[in-house]
Each structure stands twice: as C-alpha cells, then as structure tokens.
Amino acid sequence: SQSVIKCRAAVAWEPNKPLVMEEIEVAPPGAHEIRIKVVATGLCHTDLYHLFESKKKEGFPAVLGHEGAGIVESVGPGVTKFKPGDKVIPLFISQCGECKFCRNPKTNLCEKGWSNERYDVMSDDMSSFTCKGKTILQFMGTSTFSEYTVVNEIAVAKIHDSAPLDKVCLLGCGISTGYGAAVNTAKVEPGSTCAVFGLGAVGLAAVMGCKAAGASRIIAVDINSDKFEKAKVFGATDFVNPTELSKPVSQVLAEMTNGGVDFALECVGNVGVMRSALESCTKGWGVSVLVGWTDMYDFSARPIQLITGRTWKGSLFGGFKSKDGVPKLVDEYMAQKLKLDDFITHTMPLHQINDAIELMKHGKCIRTILNVCPE
Ligand code: NAD
Ligand code: ZN
C-alpha cells in the first residue's frame, strides 16, 4: 500500500474561482504520517474565507476542507497508535503532547502544527499532493476535499469504531468550535443570559453550548431571519434581526436584559459585530468571545467597556485540546448528549462542491455534508 495513490480532489487553483475536480497524486505517508481515505466532509465558512474573502492571496493552489472524517489507509514509519481501518478525524490544530502549549491546560494551541507560523495563509509549504506537475498545498494541514489525504499523527484523532463518519465529521471544526466557545471559553453559567451573533453551524453550536451549560435565556441574533427556526431547535429563546431595528442591536439587547447579557459570542467574523457583541454585555462581569474568523481589519472599542468590568476573549476550535477532545465529543454524540444531525441541511457528492459553496454564500444551508468515499 506504500505507493502513490491517484484519486479525485477538488482543487482551488486560484482565489475567487470555482473549485475544479482533478486527478491528484497523493504521496505515501512519511515518518509519523497517516494516509486517510476521506469518507465525508463538511464545508465551513473558513474555507470560503480563504477562497473569497482573505486579502492574502498566498496559499494556492490548494485542496481546501478541514471538517472531515475517514478511515486510515496506511501509516508511515514510527506510527504505533493507528492502524489501517481505524476511524479518524483529521485535526486542524495538532496536539503533540510535549510542547509548552500542550503541557499547559490553559490553551489548546500546539507548537508543532502547520498553524504555528502560518495563520496568514492557513496551509503549509510541505504537502503530499501534486497535480499536473505542481505542488498542491494542504489547506489547514487537512485537505478533506480529496478522496485521500496525508496528515501527521499529531493532528489525527482516533474515534469510536461505529461512529457514523458522515455525521461526526462536523466535530472536525464547526460544532466543536461553537460548542466549546460557550462551555470552555465563555464558561457560560447556569441561569445566565446569553447572546449569540451569527447562526451558521458555529453559532448554532454556540447556542447548543449555552443551553448545555444551563443558560436560562439565549438571544439569537442574525441578519437572516430564516435562521431563527433552527436556533429554536438548539435552545434559543429570543430572536433579533439587526436589520429590522431602528436602534443599535447592543442597545436593544441591553433593554431586553436590564443592562446587558452575561455572555455574548460573535460567530460571524465581522469586526463591527465583534464590537456590538462586546457592547451587548453587561458592565461588571459580561464576557464576550470572538469565534468568527477574520484577519483583515483591526477591531476597536472604547476602553471604558473593559475598564467597567467586561472581558473580551477569543476562541480557537472551542478551546478543546484537539486529540483529547474530539473522541470525547464523538462519544457524547453517540450517547445522544450532543446534536449533530440537526445541523445537516444538505448532502451531496464531492463533485458538487461548488453547489455547496453557493448555498453557504447565500445563507441557504447550515451544513452541507459532501460524501467523498462513502462507507
Ligand atoms: P456561516 O456562513 O454558515 O454563518 C454565518 C452567519 O452569520 C450567517 O447565518 C449570516 O447570516 C450571519 N451574519 C452575517 N452577517 C451578520 C451580522 N452583521 N450580524 C449577525 N449575523 C450575521 O458560517 P459558519 O461556518 O457558521 O462560521 C462562522 C464563523 O466562524 C466564520 O467566520 C468562520 O470562519 C468562523 N470559524 C472560526 C473558527 C475558530 O476556531 N475560531 C472555527 C470555525 C469557523
Ligand atoms: Zn472550520
């Protein structure tokens, strides 16, 4: 099995263009690497960010996709904890277990992964992919829009043998991110009042996290009112569309909550919304968490917001240590303690990826599952 595999992948040749289905060559796994047959993958807004929104135009050509699940095809020299046939989720944050971050319970960062130096382009110079004689970068180190991918063992989680891969793939990014932002980063408290800005899968998972943590009131905020019905399923109690208000949303939320919410999570990736979320928090103890991804603009707020006791924090992958956290979240899903199916609004084969992108661009889906190599 240790030979080059030729397979189908959706290649992003350049920014702002549709992905192209190509035959690519996938190298055998090197030392401490694992070659994975991708079964299913979600499409996350961060893929769209890289393709359409980021001002940095490095990081192409690439295979995008970082919310996948698959089966180990083969392992490279030195890999002892994985074997062919294992069910796995590739991780965009590694957990080497040895660096100063891995050893510190306060963070889920890891010094060894691709992301240590390359937040700007979110991919790595080292790649196992070629196509038409060119090196193809592995976006976020994962590249799940390919039938096969190669990932270092420090960035792979082994999961339950009977986990349905076309559902638990969502734990590779969006759901873990939003859920963890509420329970790990914000540390939402029982009886508290929360606001979640942006009701994509990340925001809805944040709503689910607020509910799991015992929040008594969860205000769902989105400029697309079509999202409110789903937000209700995950536990939202109030619904606000900023485009329908004559006052700033932070003022409306303050009036609804006698001075502001206890916790506000930004799940959009817009610096203006980040400011609104902070300003929606109560003075004294309000906590606002940045979850949405953007690296294009500075954010700003008046210092008095923090001086009077608000806290502004950020959350990457929901604060979960990736290799430890993901298998546990899979088990919670299997024990029906965590919803995943309700996030899935569309399912299609990988070659229809551009349709999935259009759905997300126009706010017509929550998550589309792309079947890559169905089980
Ligand atoms: P999505 O596109 O499915 O959802 C975004 C939602 O925000 C949509 O419902 C949209 O209508 C809403 N929105 C847009 N502008 C708004 C505004 N001004 N006010 C209120 N709502 C508004 O995206 P997603 O996949 O759920 O991802 C959400 C964000 O989280 C993205 O920025 C993504 O890059 C980021 N993300 C961050 C991490 C992390 O680790 N921090 C991980 C995954 C995704
Ligand atoms: Zn993502």
Side-chain angles (χ1 to χ4, degrees), residues 74-337:
S74 62
V75 300
V79 175
T80 56
K81 301 215 169 87
F82 295 85
K83 58 178 189 314
D86 283 350
K87 287 191 171 177
V88 291
I89 292 183
L91 305 165
F92 69 86
I93 309 188
S94 55
Q95 187 185 351
C96 73
E98 287 160 8
C99 72
K100 73 168 184 183
F101 297 108
C102 281
R103 286 165 172 273
N104 191 324
K106 289 179 183 168
T107 181
N108 61 350
L109 300 183
C110 171
E111 252 173 6
K112 301 257 176 77
W114 62 271
S115 57
N116 190 37
E117 289 161 22
R118 300 293 294 271
Y119 278 117
D120 55 344
V121 294
M122 304 187 82
S123 53
D124 201 295
D125 284 335
M126 307 286 283
S127 177
S128 302
F129 297 166
T130 55
C131 180
K132 297 178 176 162
K134 292 202 175 75
T135 297
I136 307 294
L137 298 173
Q138 286 186 253
F139 179 67
M140 295 179 91
T142 50
S143 289
T144 57
F145 299 161
S146 173
E147 291 174 333
Y148 288 87
T149 189
V150 177
V151 183
N152 193 291
E153 64 177 336
I154 62 173
V156 182
K158 183 170 148 59
I159 59 165
H160 199 291
D161 277 335
S162 49
L165 298 176
D166 57 351
K167 307 286 190 302
V168 299
C169 59
L170 294 178
L171 292 168
C173 183
I175 311 315
S176 306
T177 294
Y179 187 75
V183 302
N184 298 328
T185 312
K187 300 195 195 311
V188 169
E189 292 162 2
S192 61
T193 297
C194 301
V196 175
F197 291 72
L199 304 172
V202 174
L204 292 171
V207 170
M208 177 167 77
C210 292
K211 165 109 178 162
S216 55
R217 200 166 171 202
I218 305 167
I219 306 171
V221 182
D222 202 297
I223 55 171
N224 178 354
S225 297
D226 295 348
K227 305 280 178 136
F228 295 154
E229 205 180 303
K230 269 286 182 195
K232 207 172 204 170
V233 172
F234 291 103
T237 55
D238 300 72
F239 307 89
V240 175
N241 183 334
T243 65
E244 292 169 359
L245 306 173
S246 52
K247 295 184 252 188
V249 61
S250 55
Q251 203 178 320
V252 170
L253 263 53
E255 285 165 13
M256 288 168 69
T257 58
N258 189 27
V261 300
D262 301 307
F263 301 96
L265 296 110
E266 197 276 359
C267 305
V268 178
N270 173 314
V271 292
V273 180
M274 291 173 182
R275 180 176 188 150
S276 295
L278 177 72
E279 292 174 347
S280 300
C281 288
T282 179
K283 64 186 178 187
W285 58 78
V287 174
S288 188
V289 178
L290 311 186
V291 190
W293 187 275
T294 184
D295 198 22
M296 288 192 288
Y297 306 102
D298 292 346
F299 60 1
S300 61
R302 293 289 162 90
I304 195 78
Q305 293 286 330
L306 304 189
I307 291 166
T308 53
R310 295 176 191 83
T311 303
W312 221 352
K313 308 173 86 174
S315 185
L316 186 62
F317 196 54
F320 286 108
K321 295 233 186 227
S322 60
K323 255 172 115 90
D324 293 346
V326 166
K328 285 186 197 147
L329 290 165
V330 168
D331 292 346
E332 282 181 37
Y333 166 70
M334 309 270 296
Q336 296 179 339
K337 288 179 188 151

